[in-house]
Structure formats: C-alpha cells, structure tokens
Amino acid sequence: MAQDEYQHYIDGEWTDGTGDETFESTNPATGESLGTFRRGTPEDIDAAAAAADEAYEEWRELSHIDRAEYLWDIYHELRDRTEELAEIVTKECGKEISEGRADVIEAYHMVEWAAGDARHPKGDVVPSEIPAKDAYMRRKPRGVVGCITPWNFPVAIPFWHMAVALVEGNTVVWKPAEQTPWCGQIIAEMFEDAGIPDGVFNMVQGFGDAGASIVDDERVDSVLFTGSAEVGHEVSSKVAQQPGKLAACEMGGKNNIVITEKADLDIAVHSATMSSFKTTGQRCVSSERIVVHEDVYDEFKERFVENAKNVSVGDPLREDTFMGPLIEEGHKEKVTNYNELAETEGVNVLVDRTELDADEIPEGHEDGHWVGPFVYEADPHDDLRCTHEEVFGPHVALLKYSGDIEDAVEIQNDTDYGLAGAVISEDYRQINYFRDHAEVGLAYGNLPCIGAEVHLPFGGVKKSGNGYPSAREIIEAVTERTAWTLNNSKEIRMAQGLSADIKTKQDD
C-alpha cells in the first residue's frame, strides 16, 4: 500500500472523519503491517447516513438498468484484477491463495447476478376474483441500507450485501471488518472509479462502536449483518425496538456432517476434511461435528485422522498450502482455550496440532497466528461445551452413533445453531430424510457443507440467523412489497362477495 494513512469514503469524498485515532491492518501469517487506517466514530456514521439519506431520492428515480451500469464497471474491474486481489485477500485475512482467489471470483459472480437481474421481470401478476381487476405485486427500495461485514470473506460478502441493495434502488452505509480494512479500501476505490453518484455508497472504517451507530441510526431502514451470533443477536434485538426497520442477520454455526452406514467413504473423508479445515475452520459453515455410523466409524476415523495429521499448514501464498493462520492472536487464544476445554471435559483426543512444531512454521512467519487441526471423539449424548459451542477453528468432534438416519439427525439437531449441514449416503431415502428433518438453512448431500453458490439463498435457522443477507433472498430485506389492484371497470365490484352498495337512510 502506497500512502501512509487511509481514509473513509463519505458523500463522494475521502475524509479523515471526526476522530483522531487510527488502527493497523496486519498480515496474520507474518505480523507485518499492511497499512494504517482512520478509525471511524459515531459522528462519521452520522455523516455517512445523512449523505445516503440525501442521495436516496435521486438514486431511486433511476431505472434498475441504469443503476446496474455502475455495478457492471465494478464487475469488470474485479475480473481484471482477480489475481492481484486474491493475493491481497490472502495477505490480509490469511486464507490460502486458492481461497483468496475464490473470494474475488465469488464477489464478481454476485455482482454479475445482481446487475444481470436488473433486466429480469420484477414482481408478480396475480389473478383477481373480479375479471375487471388487475392485481399485481411491485417492489420498492427501502431507503438507506446499513451493511456490517466480516473479515473471513472480505471481498465477497460486502458484494453479497451491497450489489442487490444498490441495484434495487437503495443507498448504502458500509462498515468493513476492522481486521480487513485494506480490502474495504479497494472496494471503495472501485465504487469511486465507477463514478457512482455522491452519497449512494459510503464506507466508514472502524470497530464495533461504528457498527452499533449504523444499527441505531433512525435513517437506516435495513441492517444487513454477517458475523458472530453474539453480535448478530444484539443487532436483531436493537432493530426490533425500532418500528419499521428490518434486520437480516446471518450468523455462526456448530455444523454437522452425517456419515451413514451407506456412505461412500472416499466422499465422506474428502467432504469432512474440506468442511473442517478449509479457511482453518474459520467459516460460519465449517464443520466441527462429524456424526458417523458405528458400522463405518473405525475406517472413517482412521482415514480422517490421517488427513488431520498431515494437512499442510503454512504460507498461505503458496499453492501447496491447505491451511493458513488464524486471523489474530486473540482468536488463537480462543481456539487454544477450547482445545484445552475439550481435554478437561474428558474427550479422547486423536490429533492435537494446537502448537505446531518449529519446522512446520515457514521461515519469516514466526509471528503468525499458527494452529493445526485438533480432533477428538466424544459421546454425542453428553452435554459438553466443546461439542455444542462454536469454536470457529479447526476443532472437530467425531460422534459415533448407532441406529437409523433418524438417530443421526436427532444428534445433528442437538445444538442451538442451524446454519449448514451435510449427509453422506448412497441411500436416497436417508438423504431425503435428512433433507426434510435437519434443522439447517444450507443442506448438502454427498458434498462438503461449505461452498455455497451466489444464486442460492444463504442463511440459517435457530441461533444461526433470522434472514438471508446474501444471494437471491437478500431482496426481501432491501425492498418493500406493495400489492396493487387496479379497477378497469366503471363499476366497483368487491372480492369475497362484499356488497359495494351504498345504503342510505331512505333505503331502510
């Protein structure tokens, strides 16, 4: 990064904002500083919300297609700069390079979907009981949309939130994650380069106090949040106290992979390894619980443990690395504490790479936040914190079950979360039972429980969310639906047989 200090983008201008504090972005693999950023204040959010509110009326008057033109410019820039941005994502959040690349590709897929959707039919025509009436549904933008996004998909998820919101006619106030402000800076520069009108897009860098100000601002009509369950529930609670405001929150999970006695074990081991250790277990959809039938348990355990012992942990910029570092030192402490908790709770530890050997840490990366897989077996019916609380790291429980698919799904559902899950089986009846009874928002058959595509809804149930602030279903959070009925007759006729006669006293 070239300049000494990076600013906020408010009302079409780069600004230091009202505060005098700054913060650093650091590479989690090396500890090196990547840049210095202005820390936003509630006053900066106030200025951004005012700009978005002021710009809204003029922006909404443009057609969907005209609004989408700005997004098409960003789409092409994302495609042209994929390799450059992949490296930046990897440097800033620690994902290995193929994941950094996929993050950028997912971003331009989302922009492509949103901008292309501008030319698709909008609303629904509904038959009326009365032949002379036309009934239909229209959508209108909600107004100012506040977006609060996480660090683990620092390019993709912002566009999950913002692309559809903007094409539908809303204006945006966005707070990127404080761990990945460099990615936020680049996205803001893209909007500036695209020439988006002043105030339509606004970015304020900062921490939780800035995010809380977005939630509290009365000019913000919808809040889109992706992040931890703890913060997401606070967001939902605050928004519920503000009549007319909506919150769509996608939060964490304690996700399961169910492996039945009819599973193809090649698929099972591959899917479980991907689901548990990609992104070093730092996906909201990562699997921390693997529910395995007793008939195949021993073979699965042997093969999965072998993978966990040998997956490559190292420099995320190398193509032969499978796991990079954790995002920051505080998170390494959290994951380490949960690994220690599991031992305290009496589980049988099978793999413990919490502290990597010195020769596993790449030269020049000694200050990175390194951790390897931690795998153990536990009784699925024991009420253990380690098997029920989200760790957000490569911390995996093997849970052996006996009986039928009904028993496996009962174990699958025995957490407070309901984000993602997968079933591995060659029996379509088992797969269909899982499909119908697993309490999840994202379900997979014979696949990892990661890797959703942008044109599908993304969100969970139970403690994992109250909406789908991404992909196709985000439109529900950023638009209002209006039911229109138009009478084409000179007479008024009512549905349900309701009389339209005006009766006066002399009619009695």
Side-chain angles (χ1 to χ4, degrees), residues 455-467:
H455 47 281
L456 294 168
F458 191 102
V461 298
K462 296 163 52 174
K463 195 176 178 180
S464 293
N466 72 337

Side-chain angles (χ1 to χ4, degrees), residues 91-109:
K91 284 182 176 179
E92 193 165 43
C93 79
K95 295 197 290 193
E96 54 89 3
I97 189 65
S98 79
E99 294 191 70
R101 188 178 299 114
D103 197 309
V104 181
I105 292 170
E106 186 172 337
Y108 72 65
H109 282 175

Side-chain angles (χ1 to χ4, degrees), residues 24 67 174 176 275 299 313 325 347 373 439:
E24 297 288 312
R67 292 192 293 260
W174 173 42
S275 300
E299 183 181 349
V313 182
V347 304
E439 295 171 351

